[in-house]
């Protein structure tokens, strides 16, 4: 009985992600009362792709797309798939099918993912400023399908926290998608580009500072934790020792969380730095 309820809890929790999907929804969409939305997001605001910033997931009860918490949520989902893949499979559940890719495809639109060096990242779509009296995501509480107000796009020219978190997301997802070699490599390339941005000495600032659309809602207090988080997941995805060296350097200064154990794959000598597990 306990196991039955654990599966049900997972299914219901997973639906909270599906319910929040933005953009063009798949034909097999499981939420009958949700339809396509936000199809003009970023169309006239972005420089990288003609697709604009359509897709991804809305946050909480409003229609804002906050890229920082969206990225963290998807990294955690990837982690659960990596750690419990066989249990998911044995119960006929593949949570990354479609759900992961709706997020990773979207994040690849938020920076020039075809480049190896970037100078900006789109950090948010929609939102509201405190005290706002114009139509926006907080003065107009409505179904995303009915949005008819302007949705501003925020861009960050610096932000090691945002870039490090997004790098972790793409790196973790690249492991989930290893059965799709081309897509997995695309995610790794994007993660490495983002992490290089995060480590650029001229861009080592918090992405939220001074931005009235972000700071009151998802303010960041630092970026060293994202350095550790992003570097650890990149090491996990690539086996490149440069990343674990960065992780250990930052960890020696301030400590932190690391991805799950790779004892079965790498042996104990290489898992001392990656010793955290769900278990």
């Amino acid at each position: 009985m306990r196991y039955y309820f654990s599966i049900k809890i997972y299914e219901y929790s997973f639906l909270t992600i599906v319910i929040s999907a933005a953009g063009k929804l798949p034909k097999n969409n499981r939420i009958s009362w949700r339809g396509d939305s936000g199809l003009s997001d970023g169309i006239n605001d972005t420089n990288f792709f003609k697709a604009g910033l359509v897709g991804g997931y809305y946050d909480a009860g409003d229609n804002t797309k906050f890229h920082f918490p969206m990225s963290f949520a998807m990294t955690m989902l990837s982690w659960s798939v990596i750690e419990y893949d066989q249990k998911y499979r044995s119960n006929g559940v593949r949570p990354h099918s479609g759900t992961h890719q709706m997020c990773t495809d979207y994040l690849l639109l938020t920076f020039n993912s075809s480049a190896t060096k970037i100078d900006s990242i789109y950090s948010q779509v929609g939102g509201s400023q405190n005290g706002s009296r114009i139509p926006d995501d907080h003065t107009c509480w409505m179904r995303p399908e009915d949005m008819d107000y302007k949705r501003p796009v925020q861009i960050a020219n610096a932000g090691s926290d945002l870039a490090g978190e997004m790098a972790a997301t793409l790196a973790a997802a690249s492991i989930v998608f290893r059965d799709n070699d081309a897509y997995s490599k695309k995610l790794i390339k994007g993660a490495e580009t983002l992490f290089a941005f995060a480590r650029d000495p001229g861009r080592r600032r918090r992405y939220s500072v001074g931005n009235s659309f972000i700071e009151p809602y998802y303010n960041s207090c630092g970026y060293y934790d994202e350095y550790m988080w992003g570097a650890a997941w990149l090491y996990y995805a690539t086996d490149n020792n440069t990343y674990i060296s960065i992780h250990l350097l930052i960890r020696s200064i301030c400590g932190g969380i690391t991805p799950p154990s790779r004892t079965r794959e790498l042996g104990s000598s290489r898992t001392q730095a990656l010793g955290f597990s769900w278990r």
Side-chain angles (χ1 to χ4, degrees), residues 70-195:
M70 183 197 304
S71 297
F72 179 74
M74 201 53 56
T75 306
M76 296 302 290
L77 183 60
S78 293
W79 187 356
S80 76
V81 173
I82 294 165
E83 191 85 352
Y84 294 113
D85 182 62
Q86 290 304 314
K87 288 188 177 181
Y88 280 135
R89 289 177 184 272
S90 65
N91 286 280
V93 177
R94 288 298 288 157
H96 78 274
S97 180
T99 306
H100 267 85
Q101 193 161 350
M102 284 190 71
C103 182
T104 52
D105 281 353
Y106 175 73
L107 292 180
L108 289 171
L109 296 175
T110 65
F111 65 102
N112 187 358
S113 55
S114 63
T116 56
K117 186 175 182 179
I118 58 174
D119 56 15
S120 61
I121 302 171
Y122 290 104
S123 55
Q124 181 176 312
V125 177
S128 179
Q129 294 174 299
N130 283 340
S132 171
R133 295 186 178 181
I134 63 172
D136 60 30
D137 286 330
H138 285 179
T139 59
C140 299
W141 291 88
M142 61 174 62
R143 298 185 335 133
E145 293 83 355
D146 297 331
M147 292 185 296
D148 59 359
Y149 47 82
K150 181 176 175 58
R151 287 169 57 74
V153 172
Q154 307 303 312
I155 190 167
N157 296 309
S160 297
D161 39 13
L162 174 65
E165 189 63 65
M166 290 173 60
T169 304
L170 298 186
S174 76
I175 301 168
V176 173
F177 283 102
R178 275 185 173 165
D179 56 349
N180 184 340
D181 186 61
Y183 190 64
S184 180
K185 288 179 178 177
K186 183 177 182 179
L187 295 176
I188 289 175
K189 179 180 181 297
E192 291 179 326
T193 298
L194 286 165
F195 199 72

Side-chain angles (χ1 to χ4, degrees), residues 198-269:
R199 293 290 291 163
D200 185 331
R203 305 187 190 281
R204 294 181 184 179
R205 295 193 298 277
R206 293 180 290 127
Y207 89 109
S208 57
V209 172
N211 190 316
S212 58
F213 281 93
I214 300 175
E215 201 167 25
Y217 304 103
Y218 285 103
N219 189 30
S220 173
C221 60
Y223 50 80
Y224 272 37
D225 49 343
E226 280 80 29
Y227 276 166
M228 288 189 293
W229 187 238
W233 277 110
L234 272 163
Y235 171 68
Y236 194 5
T238 67
D239 288 340
N240 185 333
N241 286 325
T242 299
Y243 294 117
I244 198 59
S245 296
I246 294 171
H247 171 87
L248 292 174
L249 173 63
I250 304 300
R251 184 178 175 181
S252 69
I253 298 171
C254 57
I257 296 176
T258 54
S261 170
R262 299 188 66 187
T263 302
R264 293 185 299 276
E265 299 177 48
L266 301 177
S268 60
S269 64

Side-chain angles (χ1 to χ4, degrees), residues 3-123:
Y3 181 69
Y4 168 81
F5 279 116
S6 70
I7 293 298
K8 285 298 181 184
I9 289 171
Y10 165 76
E11 290 177 350
Y12 293 143
S13 298
F14 183 59
L15 283 178
T16 65
I17 301 175
V18 177
I19 286 170
S20 301
K24 186 76 174 177
L25 300 186
K27 292 182 179 179
N28 62 348
N29 173 37
R30 297 168 59 187
I31 311 300
S32 61
W33 43 268
R34 280 301 322 278
D36 299 343
S37 63
L39 299 182
S40 60
D41 281 354
I43 294 296
N44 298 317
D45 300 290
T46 58
N47 301 319
F48 306 143
F49 304 102
K50 292 181 180 179
L53 294 168
V54 176
Y57 291 95
Y58 299 116
D59 178 80
D62 59 26
N63 300 330
T64 308
K65 293 190 290 194
F66 292 99
H67 300 168
F68 192 47
M70 183 197 304
S71 297
F72 179 74
M74 201 53 56
T75 306
M76 296 302 290
L77 183 60
S78 293
W79 187 356
S80 76
V81 173
I82 294 165
E83 191 85 352
Y84 294 113
D85 182 62
Q86 290 304 314
K87 288 188 177 181
Y88 280 135
R89 289 177 184 272
S90 65
N91 286 280
V93 177
R94 288 298 288 157
H96 78 274
S97 180
T99 306
H100 267 85
Q101 193 161 350
M102 284 190 71
C103 182
T104 52
D105 281 353
Y106 175 73
L107 292 180
L108 289 171
L109 296 175
T110 65
F111 65 102
N112 187 358
S113 55
S114 63
T116 56
K117 186 175 182 179
I118 58 174
D119 56 15
S120 61
I121 302 171
Y122 290 104
S123 55

